[in-house]
Amino acid sequence: MNRFLARTLSTLNILFALVIIVVGAMTGGAGGSAYYYYDGNFSIPGAIFGAIGGAVVAALICGTIAFLTLIERHLSVLADAARRNQP
C-alpha cells in the first residue's frame, strides 16, 4: 500500500508541476492581475516570464517531492535486496 501511495504521489507531483507552470504563465500574461481585474489584454513577454517563474517555483516545490520519492524508491530496492539475502 505504501508503494502505491508513493507512486500516486509521484504521478500527481508531475501534474501539479504542470499546473504551477501554466498558472504562472497565465498570470504573467494577464499582467499579474490574477484574473480579478483582467481587461482582455494578454502579454506574451509576461506569459514567458510567468512561465519561467512558475518553472522555478515548480522546481523548488515539486523537485523536493520528486527527490523524496526517489529516495523512497532506492530504500525499497535496498530493503527488498536485504530480505532476499537473509538466511
Side-chain angles (χ1 to χ4, degrees):
M1 185 67 172
N2 286 339
R3 287 187 187 172
F4 170 73
L5 292 175
R7 288 181 184 155
T8 304
L9 176 65
S10 178
T11 303
L12 290 176
N13 189 36
I14 295 167
L15 296 175
F16 188 57
L18 291 174
V19 167
I20 290 172
I21 293 169
V22 168
V23 168
M26 292 174 69
T27 303
S33 63
Y35 310 111
Y36 295 119
Y37 302 106
Y38 182 61
D39 59 358
N41 295 329
F42 191 78
S43 169
I44 299 297
I48 292 171
F49 285 124
I52 291 170
V56 169
V57 171
L60 292 173
I61 295 171
C62 298
T64 302
I65 295 171
F67 184 68
L68 292 173
T69 57
L70 182 66
I71 290 172
E72 186 276 331
R73 285 182 191 159
H74 287 296
L75 289 175
S76 66
V77 167
L78 288 173
D80 288 342
R83 275 189 229 118
R84 279 186 268 133
N85 290 333
Q86 286 186 353

